[in-house]
Amino acid sequence: MTTPTLLVLDADPLPRLGRLTGRARIEHADPTTLAARLPDADVLLVWDFTSHAVRHAWPGDGPRPRWVHTASAGVDHLMCPELASCDTVVTNARGIFDEPIAEYVAALVLAMAKDLPRTLELQGRRTWQHRESRRLKGTRACVVGSGPIGQAVVRTLKALGVVTALVGRVPRTGIHGPEDLDRLIARADWIIAAAPLTEQTHGMFDARRFGMMQPSARFINVGRGQLVVEEALVEALSKRWIAGAALDVFAHEPLGPDSPLWGLPGLIVSPHMSGDTVGWRDELAAQFVEFFTRWEAGRTLPNVVDKQRGYVPGR
């Protein structure tokens, strides 16, 4: 059997793939060399999951990798019509980020409920200012995105006493459909976006939806930046339509120093780090090696993306 060629779209630090020594011919590419090397690869590992190079480099007709794996939950950065229509299998890193992101969301909810940003600000000014904070128990959350990340967020918030509603693409037991979204966010204290980026979800949080939220509501986005019309969020916070927000993802990353988002009242900005805990890169590499072992044995791959929908279908 010919040793398969594994092409890695690099990012620093490189993945630890020592367990594949002798099992794969490992080659590396960057955005400038990717197109030339794709036709000779059997497998593509998109380690640089912030890059859009695959979209531009993916071959039309002719040789191409049989399998593409991205070290991320989202796949919007690599999907293009040529990849979506061919027989190449696409998998993602579903399962790695669920609990860390849920913990991050819980931390944001607690921080906003207990007014911790204001406490740190006052401490920096050496100002003693007593305030009252909010209890979480009995508050309502609407979690948008019913995949593993959204489900983990629901479990974590329920443990804090938050009454949760989960919204997905298709209604089923325990999950609301899109037709319930407006009703649910209109009564929610916490609105958490954890959905994949698709044609249906692009710009779903716009001026209309921010306008129907309660003045005391807080909005959190740990999904994809393009779920939010950022100009609408700027208006909602500036005019205090909502009480606050926290963004971990943005339409353009890194967020530029001139972005109005930095100085918005009530907004917490973090640099796309909600799922990145100590050792996360090693977990991603270990997951890929496990998947490669299944692939080389001819077994069914986990986490296969529905390329038309843009995500892994629910179980």
Coordinates of all heavy atoms in Angstrom, one line a residue, residues 64-139:
R64 N -7.4 15.7 -6.1 CA -7.6 16.5 -4.9 C -7.6 15.6 -3.7 O -7.8 14.4 -3.9 CB -8.9 17.3 -5.0 CG -10.1 16.4 -5.3 CD -11.4 17.2 -5.5 NE -12.5 16.4 -5.9 CZ -13.0 16.3 -7.2 NH1 -12.4 17.1 -8.1 NH2 -14.0 15.5 -7.5
P65 N -7.4 16.1 -2.5 CA -7.5 15.3 -1.3 C -8.8 14.5 -1.2 O -9.9 15.1 -1.5 CB -7.3 16.3 -0.2 CG -6.6 17.4 -0.8 CD -7.1 17.5 -2.2
R66 N -8.7 13.3 -0.7 CA -10.0 12.6 -0.4 C -10.6 13.0 0.9 O -11.8 12.7 1.1 CB -9.6 11.1 -0.4 CG -9.2 10.5 -1.8 CD -8.8 9.1 -1.6 NE -7.4 8.9 -1.1 CZ -6.9 7.9 -0.5 NH1 -7.7 6.8 -0.3 NH2 -5.7 7.8 -0.1
W67 N -9.9 13.6 1.7 CA -10.4 14.0 3.1 C -9.8 15.3 3.5 O -8.6 15.5 3.4 CB -10.1 12.8 4.0 CG -10.3 13.1 5.5 CD1 -11.3 13.9 6.0 CD2 -9.5 12.7 6.6 NE1 -11.1 14.0 7.4 CE2 -10.1 13.2 7.8 CE3 -8.4 11.9 6.7 CZ2 -9.5 13.0 9.0 CZ3 -7.9 11.6 7.9 CH2 -8.4 12.1 9.1
V68 N -10.6 16.2 4.0 CA -10.1 17.4 4.6 C -10.6 17.5 6.1 O -11.8 17.3 6.3 CB -10.7 18.7 3.8 CG1 -10.3 19.9 4.6 CG2 -10.1 18.7 2.4
H69 N -9.7 17.8 7.0 CA -10.0 17.9 8.4 C -9.6 19.3 8.8 O -8.5 19.7 8.6 CB -9.3 16.9 9.3 CG -9.6 17.1 10.7 ND1 -10.8 16.6 11.3 CD2 -8.9 17.7 11.7 CE1 -10.8 16.9 12.6 NE2 -9.7 17.6 12.9
T70 N -10.5 20.0 9.5 CA -10.2 21.4 10.0 C -10.1 21.3 11.5 O -11.0 20.7 12.2 CB -11.2 22.4 9.5 OG1 -10.8 23.7 10.1 CG2 -12.6 22.1 9.9
A71 N -9.1 21.9 12.1 CA -8.9 21.9 13.5 C -9.7 23.0 14.2 O -9.2 23.8 14.9 CB -7.4 22.1 13.9
S72 N -11.0 23.0 13.9 CA -11.9 24.0 14.4 C -13.3 23.4 14.3 O -13.6 22.4 13.7 CB -11.9 25.3 13.5 OG -12.3 25.0 12.2
A73 N -14.3 24.1 15.1 CA -15.7 23.7 15.0 C -16.3 24.2 13.7 O -17.1 23.5 13.1 CB -16.4 24.1 16.2
G74 N -16.1 25.4 13.4 CA -16.7 26.0 12.2 C -15.9 25.6 10.9 O -14.7 25.3 11.0
V75 N -16.7 25.5 9.8 CA -16.1 25.2 8.5 C -16.3 26.2 7.5 O -15.9 26.1 6.3 CB -16.7 23.8 8.0 CG1 -16.3 22.7 9.0 CG2 -18.2 23.9 7.8
D76 N -16.9 27.4 7.8 CA -17.2 28.4 6.9 C -15.9 29.0 6.2 O -16.0 29.5 5.1 CB -18.0 29.5 7.5 CG -17.4 30.1 8.8 OD1 -17.5 29.4 9.8 OD2 -16.7 31.1 8.7
H77 N -14.8 28.9 6.9 CA -13.6 29.5 6.4 C -13.0 28.7 5.2 O -12.1 29.2 4.5 CB -12.5 29.6 7.5 CG -12.2 28.2 8.1 ND1 -13.1 27.5 8.9 CD2 -11.1 27.5 8.1 CE1 -12.5 26.4 9.3 NE2 -11.3 26.3 8.8
L78 N -13.4 27.4 5.1 CA -12.9 26.6 4.0 C -13.9 26.2 2.9 O -13.5 25.8 1.8 CB -12.2 25.4 4.5 CG -12.9 24.4 5.4 CD1 -13.7 23.4 4.6 CD2 -12.0 23.7 6.4
M79 N -15.2 26.3 3.2 CA -16.1 25.9 2.2 C -16.2 26.8 1.0 O -16.3 28.0 1.1 CB -17.5 25.7 2.9 CG -17.6 24.7 4.0 SD -17.1 23.0 3.4 CE -18.2 22.7 2.1
C80 N -16.3 26.2 -0.2 CA -16.4 26.9 -1.4 C -17.3 26.0 -2.3 O -17.4 24.8 -2.0 CB -15.1 27.2 -2.1 SG -14.1 25.7 -2.4
P81 N -17.8 26.5 -3.4 CA -18.7 25.6 -4.3 C -18.0 24.4 -4.8 O -18.6 23.3 -4.9 CB -19.1 26.5 -5.4 CG -19.0 27.9 -4.8 CD -17.9 27.9 -3.8
E82 N -16.7 24.5 -5.1 CA -15.9 23.4 -5.6 C -15.8 22.3 -4.6 O -15.9 21.1 -4.9 CB -14.6 23.8 -6.1 CG -14.6 24.7 -7.3 CD -14.9 26.2 -7.0 OE1 -14.9 26.5 -5.8 OE2 -15.1 27.0 -7.9
L83 N -15.5 22.6 -3.4 CA -15.4 21.6 -2.3 C -16.7 21.1 -1.9 O -16.9 19.9 -1.7 CB -14.7 22.3 -1.1 CG -14.6 21.4 0.2 CD1 -13.8 20.1 -0.1 CD2 -13.8 22.2 1.3
A84 N -17.7 21.9 -1.9 CA -19.1 21.4 -1.5 C -19.6 20.4 -2.5 O -20.4 19.5 -2.1 CB -20.0 22.6 -1.4
S85 N -19.3 20.6 -3.8 CA -19.9 19.7 -4.8 C -19.1 18.5 -5.1 O -19.6 17.6 -5.8 CB -20.1 20.5 -6.1 OG -18.8 21.0 -6.6
C86 N -17.9 18.3 -4.6 CA -17.0 17.2 -4.9 C -17.2 16.1 -3.9 O -18.0 16.3 -2.9 CB -15.6 17.6 -5.0 SG -14.8 17.9 -3.5
D87 N -16.6 14.9 -4.1 CA -16.8 13.8 -3.2 C -15.8 13.8 -2.0 O -15.7 12.8 -1.2 CB -16.7 12.5 -3.9 CG -15.4 12.3 -4.7 OD1 -14.5 13.2 -4.6 OD2 -15.2 11.3 -5.4
T88 N -15.0 14.8 -1.8 CA -14.1 14.9 -0.7 C -14.8 15.0 0.6 O -15.8 15.7 0.8 CB -13.2 16.1 -0.8 OG1 -12.3 16.0 -2.0 CG2 -12.3 16.3 0.4
V89 N -14.4 14.2 1.6 CA -15.1 14.2 2.9 C -14.5 15.3 3.8 O -13.2 15.5 3.8 CB -14.9 12.8 3.6 CG1 -15.4 12.9 5.1 CG2 -15.5 11.7 2.8
V90 N -15.3 16.0 4.5 CA -14.8 17.1 5.3 C -15.2 16.8 6.8 O -16.4 16.4 7.0 CB -15.4 18.5 4.9 CG1 -15.0 19.6 5.9 CG2 -15.0 18.9 3.5
T91 N -14.3 16.8 7.7 CA -14.6 16.6 9.1 C -14.1 17.8 9.9 O -13.2 18.6 9.4 CB -13.9 15.4 9.7 OG1 -12.5 15.4 9.5 CG2 -14.4 14.1 9.0
N92 N -14.6 18.0 11.1 CA -14.2 19.1 12.0 C -13.8 18.6 13.4 O -13.8 17.4 13.7 CB -15.3 20.2 12.0 CG -16.5 19.7 12.9 OD1 -16.6 18.6 13.3 ND2 -17.4 20.7 13.1
A93 N -13.5 19.6 14.2 CA -13.0 19.2 15.6 C -14.1 19.2 16.6 O -13.8 19.5 17.8 CB -11.9 20.2 16.0
R94 N -15.3 18.9 16.2 CA -16.4 18.8 17.1 C -16.0 18.0 18.3 O -15.5 16.9 18.2 CB -17.6 18.2 16.4 CG -18.8 17.9 17.2 CD -19.9 17.4 16.3 NE -21.1 17.0 17.0 CZ -22.3 17.2 16.5 NH1 -22.5 17.7 15.3 NH2 -23.4 16.7 17.2
G95 N -16.4 18.5 19.5 CA -16.1 17.7 20.7 C -15.0 18.3 21.6 O -14.9 18.0 22.8
I96 N -14.1 19.0 20.9 CA -12.9 19.6 21.7 C -13.3 20.8 22.5 O -12.8 21.0 23.6 CB -11.7 19.9 20.7 CG1 -11.3 18.6 20.0 CG2 -10.6 20.6 21.4 CD1 -10.6 17.6 20.9
F97 N -14.1 21.7 21.9 CA -14.3 23.0 22.5 C -15.6 23.1 23.3 O -15.9 24.2 23.9 CB -14.4 24.0 21.3 CG -13.1 24.1 20.5 CD1 -13.1 23.6 19.2 CD2 -12.0 24.6 21.0 CE1 -12.0 23.6 18.4 CE2 -10.8 24.7 20.2 CZ -10.8 24.1 19.0
D98 N -16.4 22.1 23.3 CA -17.8 22.2 23.9 C -17.7 22.7 25.4 O -18.3 23.7 25.7 CB -18.5 20.8 23.9 CG -18.5 20.2 22.5 OD1 -18.1 20.9 21.6 OD2 -18.9 19.0 22.4
E99 N -17.1 21.9 26.2 CA -17.1 22.3 27.7 C -16.3 23.6 28.0 O -16.7 24.4 28.8 CB -16.5 21.1 28.5 CG -17.4 19.9 28.4 CD -18.8 20.1 28.9 OE1 -19.0 21.0 29.8 OE2 -19.7 19.3 28.5
P100 N -15.1 23.8 27.3 CA -14.4 25.0 27.6 C -15.2 26.3 27.2 O -15.2 27.2 28.0 CB -13.1 24.9 26.7 CG -12.9 23.4 26.6 CD -14.2 22.8 26.6
I101 N -15.9 26.2 26.1 CA -16.7 27.4 25.7 C -17.9 27.5 26.7 O -18.2 28.7 27.0 CB -17.2 27.2 24.2 CG1 -16.0 27.4 23.3 CG2 -18.3 28.3 23.9 CD1 -16.4 27.2 21.8
A102 N -18.5 26.4 27.1 CA -19.6 26.5 28.0 C -19.1 27.2 29.3 O -19.8 28.0 29.9 CB -20.2 25.1 28.3
E103 N -17.9 26.8 29.8 CA -17.4 27.4 31.0 C -17.1 28.9 30.8 O -17.4 29.7 31.7 CB -16.0 26.7 31.4 CG -16.2 25.3 31.8 CD -14.9 24.6 32.0 OE1 -13.8 25.2 31.8 OE2 -14.9 23.4 32.4
Y104 N -16.7 29.3 29.6 CA -16.4 30.7 29.3 C -17.7 31.5 29.3 O -17.7 32.6 29.9 CB -15.7 30.8 28.0 CG -14.9 32.1 27.7 CD1 -13.6 32.2 28.2 CD2 -15.5 33.1 27.1 CE1 -12.9 33.3 28.0 CE2 -14.8 34.3 26.9 CZ -13.5 34.4 27.4 OH -12.8 35.6 27.2
V105 N -18.7 30.9 28.7 CA -20.0 31.6 28.7 C -20.5 31.8 30.2 O -21.0 32.8 30.5 CB -21.1 30.8 27.9 CG1 -22.5 31.3 28.1 CG2 -20.7 30.9 26.4
A106 N -20.4 30.7 31.0 CA -20.8 30.8 32.4 C -20.0 31.9 33.1 O -20.6 32.7 33.9 CB -20.6 29.5 33.1
A107 N -18.7 32.0 32.8 CA -17.9 33.1 33.4 C -18.4 34.4 33.0 O -18.4 35.4 33.9 CB -16.4 32.9 33.0
L108 N -18.7 34.6 31.7 CA -19.2 35.9 31.3 C -20.5 36.2 31.9 O -20.8 37.4 32.3 CB -19.4 35.9 29.8 CG -18.1 35.9 28.9 CD1 -18.4 35.6 27.5 CD2 -17.3 37.2 29.1
V109 N -21.4 35.3 32.0 CA -22.7 35.5 32.6 C -22.6 35.9 34.1 O -23.2 36.9 34.6 CB -23.6 34.3 32.5 CG1 -24.9 34.4 33.4 CG2 -24.0 34.0 31.0
L110 N -21.7 35.2 34.8 CA -21.5 35.5 36.2 C -20.8 36.9 36.3 O -21.2 37.7 37.2 CB -20.5 34.5 36.8 CG -21.2 33.1 37.2 CD1 -20.2 32.1 37.5 CD2 -22.1 33.4 38.5
A111 N -19.9 37.2 35.5 CA -19.2 38.5 35.5 C -20.1 39.6 35.3 O -20.1 40.7 36.0 CB -18.1 38.6 34.5
M112 N -21.1 39.5 34.4 CA -22.0 40.6 34.1 C -23.1 40.6 35.2 O -23.5 41.7 35.6 CB -22.6 40.4 32.7 CG -21.6 40.7 31.6 SD -22.3 40.7 29.9 CE -22.5 39.0 29.6
A113 N -23.5 39.5 35.7 CA -24.6 39.5 36.7 C -24.0 40.1 38.0 O -24.7 40.8 38.7 CB -25.0 38.1 37.0
K114 N -22.8 39.9 38.3 CA -22.1 40.4 39.5 C -21.4 41.7 39.3 O -20.7 42.1 40.2 CB -21.2 39.3 40.1 CG -21.9 38.0 40.4 CD -23.2 38.1 41.3 CE -23.9 36.8 41.5 NZ -25.2 37.0 42.3
D115 N -21.5 42.2 38.1 CA -20.9 43.5 37.8 C -19.4 43.6 38.0 O -18.8 44.6 38.5 CB -21.6 44.6 38.6 CG -21.4 46.0 38.0 OD1 -21.1 46.1 36.8 OD2 -21.5 47.0 38.8
L116 N -18.7 42.5 37.7 CA -17.3 42.4 38.0 C -16.5 43.4 37.1 O -15.5 43.9 37.6 CB -16.8 41.0 37.7 CG -17.3 39.9 38.7 CD1 -16.6 38.6 38.4 CD2 -17.0 40.3 40.1
P117 N -16.8 43.6 35.8 CA -16.1 44.6 35.1 C -16.0 46.0 35.8 O -15.0 46.7 35.9 CB -16.8 44.7 33.7 CG -17.4 43.3 33.6 CD -17.8 43.0 35.0
R118 N -17.2 46.4 36.3 CA -17.3 47.7 37.0 C -16.5 47.7 38.3 O -15.8 48.6 38.7 CB -18.7 48.0 37.3 CG -19.0 49.3 38.1 CD -18.6 50.5 37.3 NE -19.1 51.7 38.0 CZ -18.6 52.9 37.7 NH1 -17.6 53.1 36.8 NH2 -19.0 54.0 38.3
T119 N -16.5 46.5 39.0 CA -15.7 46.4 40.2 C -14.2 46.6 39.9 O -13.5 47.3 40.7 CB -15.9 45.0 40.9 OG1 -17.3 44.9 41.3 CG2 -15.0 44.8 42.1
L120 N -13.7 46.0 38.9 CA -12.3 46.1 38.5 C -12.0 47.5 38.1 O -10.9 48.1 38.4 CB -11.9 45.1 37.4 CG -12.0 43.6 37.8 CD1 -11.8 42.8 36.6 CD2 -11.0 43.3 38.9
E121 N -12.9 48.2 37.4 CA -12.7 49.5 37.0 C -12.6 50.5 38.2 O -11.7 51.3 38.3 CB -13.9 50.0 36.1 CG -13.8 51.4 35.7 CD -15.1 51.9 35.0 OE1 -15.9 51.1 34.5 OE2 -15.3 53.1 34.9
L122 N -13.5 50.3 39.2 CA -13.5 51.1 40.4 C -12.3 50.8 41.2 O -11.7 51.7 41.8 CB -14.8 50.9 41.2 CG -16.1 51.4 40.6 CD1 -17.3 50.8 41.3 CD2 -16.1 52.9 40.5
Q123 N -11.8 49.6 41.3 CA -10.6 49.2 42.0 C -9.4 50.0 41.4 O -8.6 50.5 42.2 CB -10.4 47.7 42.0 CG -9.1 47.3 42.7 CD -8.9 45.8 42.6 OE1 -9.8 45.0 42.3 NE2 -7.7 45.4 42.9
G124 N -9.4 50.0 40.1 CA -8.3 50.7 39.4 C -8.2 52.2 39.7 O -7.2 52.8 39.7
R125 N -9.4 52.7 40.0 CA -9.5 54.2 40.4 C -9.5 54.4 41.9 O -9.7 55.5 42.4 CB -10.8 54.7 39.8 CG -10.8 54.8 38.3 CD -12.2 54.9 37.7 NE -13.1 55.9 38.4 CZ -14.4 56.0 38.2 NH1 -14.9 55.3 37.2 NH2 -15.1 56.8 38.9
R126 N -9.3 53.3 42.7 CA -9.3 53.3 44.2 C -10.6 54.0 44.7 O -10.6 54.8 45.6 CB -8.1 54.1 44.7 CG -6.7 53.5 44.3 CD -5.6 54.3 44.7 NE -4.3 53.6 44.3 CZ -3.5 53.0 45.1 NH1 -3.8 52.9 46.4 NH2 -2.4 52.4 44.7
T127 N -11.7 53.6 44.1 CA -13.0 54.1 44.5 C -13.9 53.1 45.1 O -14.1 52.0 44.6 CB -13.7 54.7 43.2 OG1 -12.9 55.7 42.6 CG2 -15.1 55.2 43.6
W128 N -14.4 53.4 46.3 CA -15.2 52.5 47.1 C -16.7 52.9 46.7 O -17.1 54.0 47.1 CB -15.0 52.7 48.6 CG -15.8 51.8 49.4 CD1 -17.1 52.0 49.8 CD2 -15.4 50.5 50.0 NE1 -17.5 50.9 50.6 CE2 -16.5 50.0 50.8 CE3 -14.2 49.8 50.0 CZ2 -16.4 48.8 51.5 CZ3 -14.1 48.6 50.8 CH2 -15.3 48.2 51.5
Q129 N -17.4 52.0 46.0 CA -18.7 52.3 45.6 C -19.6 51.1 45.7 O -19.5 50.2 44.9 CB -18.8 52.8 44.1 CG -20.1 53.3 43.7 CD -20.1 53.8 42.2 OE1 -20.5 53.1 41.3 NE2 -19.5 55.0 42.1
H130 N -20.4 51.0 46.8 CA -21.2 49.9 47.0 C -22.3 49.8 46.0 O -22.9 50.8 45.6 CB -21.9 49.9 48.4 CG -22.7 48.8 48.7 ND1 -24.1 48.8 48.5 CD2 -22.4 47.6 49.3 CE1 -24.6 47.6 48.9 NE2 -23.6 46.9 49.3
R131 N -22.6 48.6 45.4 CA -23.7 48.4 44.5 C -24.4 47.1 44.8 O -23.9 46.3 45.6 CB -23.2 48.3 43.0 CG -22.7 49.6 42.4 CD -21.2 49.6 42.2 NE -20.8 48.5 41.4 CZ -19.7 47.7 41.6 NH1 -18.9 48.0 42.7 NH2 -19.3 46.8 40.8
E132 N -25.5 46.9 44.2 CA -26.2 45.6 44.3 C -26.0 44.8 43.0 O -25.9 45.4 41.9 CB -27.7 45.8 44.5 CG -28.1 46.4 45.8 CD -29.6 46.7 46.0 OE1 -30.3 46.6 44.9 OE2 -30.0 46.9 47.1
S133 N -25.9 43.5 43.1 CA -25.7 42.7 41.9 C -26.9 41.8 41.7 O -27.9 41.8 42.5 CB -24.4 41.8 42.0 OG -24.5 40.9 43.1
R134 N -26.9 41.0 40.7 CA -28.1 40.2 40.3 C -27.9 38.7 40.6 O -26.8 38.2 40.4 CB -28.3 40.4 38.8 CG -29.6 39.8 38.3 CD -29.8 40.2 36.8 NE -31.2 39.9 36.4 CZ -31.6 40.2 35.2 NH1 -30.8 40.7 34.3 NH2 -32.8 39.8 34.9
R135 N -28.9 38.1 41.1 CA -28.9 36.7 41.2 C -29.2 36.0 39.9 O -30.0 36.5 39.1 CB -30.0 36.2 42.2 CG -29.8 36.6 43.6 CD -30.7 35.7 44.6 NE -30.3 34.3 44.5 CZ -31.0 33.3 45.1 NH1 -32.1 33.7 45.9 NH2 -30.6 32.1 45.1
L136 N -28.5 34.9 39.7 CA -28.7 34.1 38.4 C -29.9 33.2 38.5 O -30.6 33.0 37.5 CB -27.4 33.3 38.1 CG -26.2 34.0 37.5 CD1 -25.1 33.0 37.2 CD2 -26.6 34.8 36.3
K137 N -30.1 32.6 39.6 CA -31.2 31.7 39.7 C -32.5 32.3 39.3 O -32.9 33.3 39.8 CB -31.3 31.1 41.2 CG -32.3 30.0 41.3 CD -32.3 29.4 42.7 CE -33.3 28.3 42.8 NZ -33.3 27.7 44.2
G138 N -33.2 31.6 38.4 CA -34.5 32.1 37.9 C -34.4 33.0 36.7 O -35.5 33.3 36.1
T139 N -33.2 33.5 36.3 CA -33.1 34.3 35.1 C -33.3 33.4 33.9 O -33.2 32.1 34.0 CB -31.8 35.1 35.0 OG1 -30.7 34.1 35.0 CG2 -31.7 36.0 36.2

